[in-house]
């Protein structure tokens, strides 16, 4: 059967064979990093601060700092992040992303366009507009860097140019709450709308009470004196009829050319359609006529329709028409950005009844512009260039946090841009796309707020119409999306430098950037114009990988872990791994939340897997060299190298812990999965270093120990605290190693347990030697010092008792059972428990030696007290005789109780009790044969001591007090108080007791029958045979015979011993002889009354040899009711009695009887037994 170590060695070899050491990768020469060595993830929730003995070196301090490093660095990281108020670092710029600036000629043309726009302003400005033309011109000169002379030239050219031609776009959207004109409670509404030509101010005043209607009586039309009052046919538009509704929805759009934008009027009528021939159709036909005569025919048709509508009525106008209301809107009242509102319907006259509203959207724009640039470029391109120029100037004026500019321009810029957008007839979608393109393009050269870009994207999305995309606009949007995506990807690649975690402003910008990309990806516009980039999340993941590799290579380039000695390389690798841990931590805590919530990319998983592999490649190469060096027989791991390896292991373990944040499917086959196997050889040697440093620390702690309690509540010394603290730190080192292979950890735990045990025993020995060498001060001080040493030893022993829990032995057992079966579990128990059991025994042994040393110092005084009891005359009472002893014990117990912990106090009291028992027993043994009062006094002493040490249950337990020594002393005292006959009876009682338990003997056996005749008071003894007797003659046989007699003799004074015949040369004699004895009831009722069968070997020329003896109590045969006490006793089965050969002098009773030299009976009894013993010695 193989041992557990052999099984584990096999397991470890298999693991080592399965691991492949990876070749090191050369860093990229072109990549650099200024990231430094950032903090690492917190190792644990709390920091353990241990008490370290002065002068034991910095080893444990450095090891603790390694364990506390992560916590400290995390605190620094959080402080930096919370307190950061510096501007974010500059973003990466690529000349491919920076737009080209405008030439001077282009600026001049653009300036003319801006001046022309200002000169041709129309619409009612809102309060935020600048109305002073001079202020606007002054602002434009600054924007375009235009001198006054150049400005005047361009302004004069604009004044001399042709005025802009305006048009009005009217969208008739819907109506609501119209009046019902039909019998069914509804109407069939349609709209007629057109432009009333401008009027002079005088005419306007005269006709302010008169409202226009398209349906006038014929005679009124004929009376018009001016063509101006006639509505031109080209300016009349009609909507479709919406049958049976009071809330019509038209959503129809019309464009009207405007002659006088300052005086013309938009007029709209709503009618209920009743004719078979629609007036609307007539109006549409009007578009086909030309000249004034055609216009006359048109109005005749309208008049005819009016007459037919009123034929059934009384002829009054208000009852005849189906007029639903009208709206009159002067063009000079339309705002710059147009109207988008509900207009209340007005009556045609005071007699008309109308109700309801109509939703109209009105926009004025230029249909023709007389500028050079408008003849060369589209309105979209011109507006884009103009906005770009304004953005460049406006951004340059921002002094505070220009990187966070929200894109808001001044009022003058807004005035020019708004008028130009209106005049250029740019739709909301066109304006949204132009703003997005200009702002995103400007951002690439001079960063601004990502929140603004996100808002612009949302505006594009809100205005998006797929059908409106074509040509130039689609290309503009495609290019802007593509460039912005590429720009953001370049920032993501350098996210650690552009958006560092310790800068809150950078993190906000990063989040907004990611949200803008995520929003763009979800936009319908992006899917339409950038259909080839439908997997943007894969591109993001790719740049994360590339950026991670570049960052890592920058760290490698800065730290240079391949330079210097092997130990220096390892220290540099620790810095690299710590930097990676910090980066991974930041990725998990900060970047991952931003990326996943915005673009659904798991930043942490992508970067962690990349960094984990890079680190594993580099560390495995270095550790391969370390293992190669350490496996050489002459190699020795230095302390500094061991500390560095421990720190490297801890850093790798911290890095590996991050895998718990990975999706389960990504945790398989990671490069650091078995990294602990790289450290197996070094861990063995590191444990040896820890053991040596721990031993040095313990030795120094004992040297410095003053053997005083460390606190008033504790009773152990400073060295005990240092020892257990040292153990706790080493245990903490092991716990933090968190060796993942529980089965493989068995070897290390065995080593650790052995180290702990040997160090604890070493401590106990050192503290004992310190006591032995010291012995300074008075008796009390010495006792106190020994007590503190005992407490300290006990303190360490108790700590060792918790090792199974502290080192997780149960987990090791389970792992070994899984890997090696029950045999593995048993060997774990055997090995570890055996170590702990032996250490506990050793510690208790050292504690006993300390106690013995303490007792030795008490021994002279105890002897004096015992001697005082022994020599006290009978005239003084027992209390006076015992008083000195009890006073000394009481004074000593006060000191012990104050100085010892409970367990140590119990051991000291138990040892003191055992010593007193031995001393009294020796005193009594030395004084056998004296007066009975002597023994009674010591009996009283023992009883007093029992009460003292028990202390009403607060001290030693009664079962511990009345142990073997107590029983021996109690028997000694009790027997010494007995008479010689009582002692002889006690002797036979003991023999009867021993005979009853004797079931087998190498001295042979004798078979007998005994039965009692009560009426005759006669005991019949029938000796049948013997078997397997011992050979006492030279021929290998014996000549046995049996002596039978009643004992003790003082109970049977008249009975003589009888014997069988001698059976020559046999070890299995057959006797078959009967013997009779007179036994009265008074005699057999004694418990000690018995028959003795003594087997002797007959010798012709010398005394007979003793072969063995057996006893049988008479109570077994003679007692009334026994089967053998009836006439039927003859038929009973024989009794087999096993023979024994004990030396009588070994019994205490013999020594007591022998001491009674004046007692003839005692001396006679002793003489006979000594003859038997002499016979045995002669053999």
């Amino acid at each position: 059967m193989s041992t557990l170590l052999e099984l584990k060695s096999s397991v470890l070899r298999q693991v080592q064979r399965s691991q492949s050491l990876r070749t090191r990768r050369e860093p990229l020469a072109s990549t650099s990093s200024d990231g430094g060595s950032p903090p690492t993830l917190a190792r644990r929730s709390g920091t353990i601060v241990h008490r370290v003995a002065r002068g034991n070196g910095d080893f444990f301090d450095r090891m603790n700092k390694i364990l506390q490093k992560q916590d400290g660095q995390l605190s620094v990281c959080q402080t930096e992040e919370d307190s950061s108020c510096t501007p974010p670092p500059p973003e990466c710029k690529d000349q491919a992303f920076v737009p080209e600036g405008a030439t001077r000629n282009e600026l001049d043309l653009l300036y003319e366009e801006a001046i022309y726009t200002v000169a041709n302003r129309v619409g009612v400005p809102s309060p935020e507009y600048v109305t002073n033309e001079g202020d606007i011109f002054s602002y434009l000169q600054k924007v375009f860097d235009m001198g006054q002379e150049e400005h005047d030239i361009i302004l004069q050219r604009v004044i001399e140019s042709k005025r802009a031609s305006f048009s009005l776009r009217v969208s008739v959207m819907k109506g609501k709450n119209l009046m019902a004109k039909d019998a069914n409670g509804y109407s069939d509404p349609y709209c007629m709308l057109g432009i009333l030509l401008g009027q002079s101010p005088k005419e306007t005043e005269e006709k302010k009470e008169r409202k226009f209607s398209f349906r006038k009586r014929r005679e009124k039309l004929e009376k018009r004196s001016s063509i101006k009052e006639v509505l031109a046919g080209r300016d009349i538009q009609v909507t479709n009829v919406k049958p049976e509704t009071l809330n019509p929805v038209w959503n129809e759009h019309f464009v009207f050319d405007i002659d006088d934008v300052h005086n013309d009027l938009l007029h709209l009528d709503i009618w209920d359609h009743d004719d078979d021939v629609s007036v609307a159709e007539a109006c549409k036909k009007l578009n086909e006529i030309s000249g004034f005569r055609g216009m006359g025919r048109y109005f005749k048709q309208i008049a005819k329709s009016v007459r037919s509508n009123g034929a059934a009525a009384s002829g009054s106008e208000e009852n005849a028409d189906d007029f639903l209301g009208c709206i009159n809107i002067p063009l000079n009242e339309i705002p710059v950005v147009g109207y988008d509102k509900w207009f209340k319907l007005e009556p045609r006259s005071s007699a008309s009844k109308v109700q309801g509203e109509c939703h109209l959207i009105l926009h004025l724009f230029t249909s023709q512009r007389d500028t050079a640039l408008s003849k060369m470029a589209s309105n979209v391109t011109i507006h884009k260039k103009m906005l770009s120029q304004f953005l460049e100037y406006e951004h340059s004026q921002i002094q505070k946090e220009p990187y966070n500019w929200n894109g808001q321009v001044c009022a003058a810029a807004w005035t020019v841009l708004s008028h130009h957008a209106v005049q250029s007839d740019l739709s909301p979608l066109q304006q949204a796309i132009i703003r997005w393109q200009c702002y995103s393009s400007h951002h690439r050269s001079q960063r601004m707020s990502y929140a603004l870009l996100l808002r612009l994207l949302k505006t594009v999305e809100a205005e998006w119409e797929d059908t409106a995309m074509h040509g130039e606009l689609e290309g503009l949007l495609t290019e802007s999306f593509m460039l912005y995506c590429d720009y953001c990807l370049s920032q993501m690649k350098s996210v650690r430098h552009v958006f560092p975690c310790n800068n809150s402003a950078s993190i906000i910008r990063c989040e907004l950037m990611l949200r803008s990309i995520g929003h763009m990806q979800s936009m319908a516009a992006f899917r339409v114009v950038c259909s080839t980039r439908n997997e943007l999340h894969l591109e993001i993941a790719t740049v994360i990988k590339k950026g991670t590799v570049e960052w890592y290579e920058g760290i490698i380039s800065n730290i240079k872990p391949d330079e210097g000695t092997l130990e220096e390389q390892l220290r540099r690798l620790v810095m690299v791994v710590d930097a990676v841990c910090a980066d991974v931590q930041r990725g998990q805590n900060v970047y991952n939340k931003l990326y996943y919530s915005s673009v659904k990319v798991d930043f942490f998983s992508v970067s962690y897997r990349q960094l984990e592999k890079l680190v594993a490649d580099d560390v495995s190469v270095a550790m391969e060299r370390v293992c190669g060096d350490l496996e050489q027989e002459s190699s020795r791991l230095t302390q500094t190298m061991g500390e560095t390896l421990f720190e490297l292991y801890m850093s790798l373990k911290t890095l590996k812990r991050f895998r718990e944040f990975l999706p389960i499917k990504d945790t398989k086959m990671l490069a650091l999965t078995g990294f602990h196997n790289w450290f197996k050889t070094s861990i063995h040697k590191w444990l040896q270093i820890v053991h040596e440093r721990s031993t040095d620390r313990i030795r120094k702690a004992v040297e410095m120990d003053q053997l005083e309690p460390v606190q008033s509540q504790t009773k152990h010394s400073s060295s005990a605290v240092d020892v257990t603290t040292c153990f706790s730190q080493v245990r903490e080192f092991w716990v933090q190693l968190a060796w993942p292979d529980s089965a493989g950890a068995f070897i290390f735990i065995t080593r650790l347990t052995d180290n702990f045990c040997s160090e604890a025993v070493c401590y106990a020995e050192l503290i004992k030697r310190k006591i032995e060498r010291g012995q300074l001060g008075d008796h009390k001080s010495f006792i106190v010092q020994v007590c503190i040493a005992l407490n300290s030893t006990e303190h360490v022993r108790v700590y060792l008792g918790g090792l199974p829990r502290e080192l997780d032995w149960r987990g090791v057992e389970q792992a070994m059972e899984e890997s090696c079966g029950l045999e593995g579990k048993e060997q774990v128990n055997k090995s570890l428990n055996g170590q702990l059991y032996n250490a506990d025994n050793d510690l208790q042994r050292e504690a006993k030696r300390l106690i013995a040393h303490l007792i030795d110092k008490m021994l002279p005084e105890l002897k004096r007290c015992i001697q005082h009891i022994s020599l006290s005359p009978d005239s003084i009472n027992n209390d006076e005789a015992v008083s000195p002893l009890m006073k000394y014990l009481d004074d000593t117990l006060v000191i012990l109780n104050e100085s010892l912990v409970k367990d140590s106090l119990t051991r000291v009291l138990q040892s003191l009790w055992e010593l007193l028992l031995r001393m009294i027993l020796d005193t009594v043994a030395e004084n056998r044969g004296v007066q009975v009062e002597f023994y009674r006094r010591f009996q009283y002493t023992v009883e007093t001591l029992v009460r003292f040490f028990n202390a009403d249950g607060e001290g030693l337990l009664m079962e511990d007090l009345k142990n073997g020594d107590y029983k021996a002393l109690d028997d000694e005292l009790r027997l010494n108080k007995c008479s010689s006959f009582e002692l002889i009876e006690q002797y036979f009682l003991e023999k009867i007791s021993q005979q009853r338990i004797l079931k087998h003997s190498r001295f042979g056996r004798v078979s007998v029958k005994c039965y009692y005749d009560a009426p005759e008071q006669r005991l019949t003894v029938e000796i049948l045979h013997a078997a397997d007797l011992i050979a006492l003659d030279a021929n290998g046989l014996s000549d046995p015979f049996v002596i039978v007699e009643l004992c003790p003799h003082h109970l049977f004074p008249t009975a003589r011993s009888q014997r069988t015949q001698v059976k020559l040369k046999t070890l299995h004699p057959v006797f078959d002889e009967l013997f009779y004895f007179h036994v009265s009831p008074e005699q057999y009722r004694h418990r000690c009354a018995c028959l003795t069968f003594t087997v002797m070997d007959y010798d012709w020329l010398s005394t007979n040899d003793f072969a063995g003896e057996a006893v049988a109590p008479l109570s077994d045969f003679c007692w009334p009711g026994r089967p053998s006490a009836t006439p039927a006793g003859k038929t009973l089965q024989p009794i087999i009695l096993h023979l024994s050969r004990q030396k009588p002098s070994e019994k205490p009773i013999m020594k007591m009887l022998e001491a009674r030299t004046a007692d003839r009976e005692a001396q006679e009894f002793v003489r006979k037994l000594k003859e038997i013993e002499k016979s045995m010695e002669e053999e």
Side-chain angles (χ1 to χ4, degrees), residues 177-412:
N177 301 327
L178 302 182
M179 183 172 287
K181 291 293 184 176
D182 296 338
N184 59 5
Y186 294 100
S187 294
D188 304 320
Y190 66 94
C191 298
M192 296 177 62
L193 63 160
I195 301 298
L196 292 180
L197 301 180
Q199 301 171 349
S200 65
K202 181 178 179 180
E203 291 174 334
T204 303
E205 181 65 24
E206 292 174 353
K207 300 178 180 179
K208 62 181 179 180
E209 296 298 330
R210 176 165 52 91
K211 295 185 178 179
F212 179 82
S213 174
F214 288 118
R215 305 184 72 177
K216 296 293 183 180
R217 293 184 182 275
R218 180 178 181 181
E219 58 270 19
K220 291 183 178 181
L221 292 173
E222 291 174 351
K223 291 179 181 179
R224 290 186 184 275
S225 60
S226 175
I227 191 71
K228 282 188 175 182
E229 287 191 314
V230 179
L231 189 65
R234 58 186 174 84
D235 291 331
I236 298 177
Q237 302 288 347
V238 182
T239 68
N240 292 321
V241 177
K242 300 298 179 182
E244 298 182 356
T245 180
L246 301 179
N247 300 288
V249 177
W250 290 289
N251 195 16
E252 298 184 34
H253 311 281
F254 309 97
V255 176
F256 299 95
D257 293 332
I258 306 300
D259 291 333
D260 188 353
V261 70
H262 299 289
N263 296 310
D264 286 353
L265 181 80
L266 171 68
H267 180 82
L268 179 143
D269 280 352
I270 301 180
W271 296 85
D272 173 39
H273 176 61
D274 290 328
D275 295 335
D276 293 335
V277 178
S278 172
V279 175
E281 293 177 358
C283 290
K284 290 179 181 178
K285 291 180 180 179
L286 194 61
N287 292 322
E288 301 173 2
I289 68 173
S290 60
F292 182 75
R293 293 185 179 181
M295 181 74 71
R297 287 195 299 272
Y298 161 70
F299 284 113
K300 286 181 182 180
Q301 185 174 352
I302 293 177
K304 180 180 179 181
S305 175
V306 170
R307 286 195 301 273
S308 63
N309 287 339
S314 61
S316 64
E317 184 177 345
E318 59 180 315
N319 294 326
D321 63 25
D322 290 331
F323 178 73
L324 296 179
C326 67
I327 299 173
N328 293 289
I329 303 173
L331 299 187
N332 59 8
E333 294 181 2
I334 299 176
V336 175
V337 295
Y339 270 137
D340 184 355
K341 60 180 287 188
W342 288 88
F343 292 88
K344 186 176 180 180
L345 297 178
E346 301 174 355
R348 183 175 51 188
S349 65
S350 59
S352 300
K353 294 181 180 181
V354 298
Q355 69 178 37
E357 296 175 286
C358 183
H359 182 198
L360 300 178
I361 299 177
L362 309 178
H363 285 291
L364 285 169
F365 62 93
T366 56
S367 56
Q368 185 176 357
R369 299 172 67 84
D370 188 15
T371 62
L373 191 59
S374 62
K375 299 172 183 177
M376 299 166 54
S378 66
N379 290 337
V380 171
T381 301
I382 296 172
H383 191 75
K384 178 175 73 69
K385 291 182 177 181
M386 187 178 296
L387 177 57
S388 298
Q389 187 65 27
F390 283 141
L391 290 181
E392 185 175 347
Y393 174 77
E394 288 287 330
H395 201 175
S396 66
Q397 304 304 305
I398 303 298
Q399 301 298 324
K400 183 180 180 181
E401 297 184 357
Y403 59 86
N404 209 28
W405 183 45
N406 61 2
Q408 184 175 358
V409 297
C410 68

Side-chain angles (χ1 to χ4, degrees), residues 28 31-32 493 545-555:
L28 297 177
T31 304
S32 63
K493 186 177 180 182
K545 289 181 181 179
K546 292 180 180 179
T548 300
V549 172
E550 290 183 4
W551 177 86
Y552 181 80
E553 297 299 347
I555 293 294

Side-chain angles (χ1 to χ4, degrees), residues 13 92 98 100 119 138 179 233 235 259 305 362 477-478 566 646 736 910 1079 1113:
R13 285 194 297 271
C92 300
V98 178
E100 296 180 358
S138 177
M179 183 172 287
D235 291 331
D259 291 333
S305 175
L362 309 178
L477 187 59
T478 301
L566 181 58
F646 178 78
Q736 292 304 320
Q910 188 68 40
V1079 179

Side-chain angles (χ1 to χ4, degrees), residues 13 15 86 126 180 302 310 367 409 576 584 596 697 832 880 993 1012:
R13 285 194 297 271
V15 173
T86 58
S126 56
I302 293 177
S367 56
V409 297
V576 171
V584 170
Y596 195 79
R697 176 175 175 177
L832 297 179
E880 293 179 6
S993 177
Y1012 181 66

Side-chain angles (χ1 to χ4, degrees), residues 12 21 50 69 76-77 97 110 267 344 522 602 607 681 749 797 880 922 990 1003 1054 1071 1158:
L12 296 178
L21 294 176
H50 299 290
K69 178 180 63 176
V76 172
C77 176
F97 297 143
L110 199 58
H267 180 82
K344 186 176 180 180
S522 65
D602 191 343
S607 61
T681 304
I749 290 180
R797 191 185 74 85
E880 293 179 6
D922 292 342
E990 291 180 2
F1003 304 112
T1054 61
F1071 299 106

Side-chain angles (χ1 to χ4, degrees), residues 13 63 220 318 407 449 571 583 671 778 904 915 1054 1060 1113 1125 1178:
R13 285 194 297 271
M63 298 299 290
K220 291 183 178 181
E318 59 180 315
S449 172
R571 287 201 204 97
D583 184 74
D778 56 13
S904 296
L915 174 65
T1054 61
T1060 65
E1178 290 177 352

Side-chain angles (χ1 to χ4, degrees), residues 815-828:
M816 290 300 295
E817 185 176 8
E818 292 175 0
S819 60
C820 303
L822 291 177
E823 178 190 359
K825 180 180 180 181
E826 291 173 359
Q827 293 214 25
V828 169

Side-chain angles (χ1 to χ4, degrees), residues 1098-1109:
Y1098 177 76
D1099 285 335
W1100 295 95
L1101 300 176
S1102 63
T1103 58
N1104 297 325
D1105 297 326
F1106 176 70
E1109 68 177 348

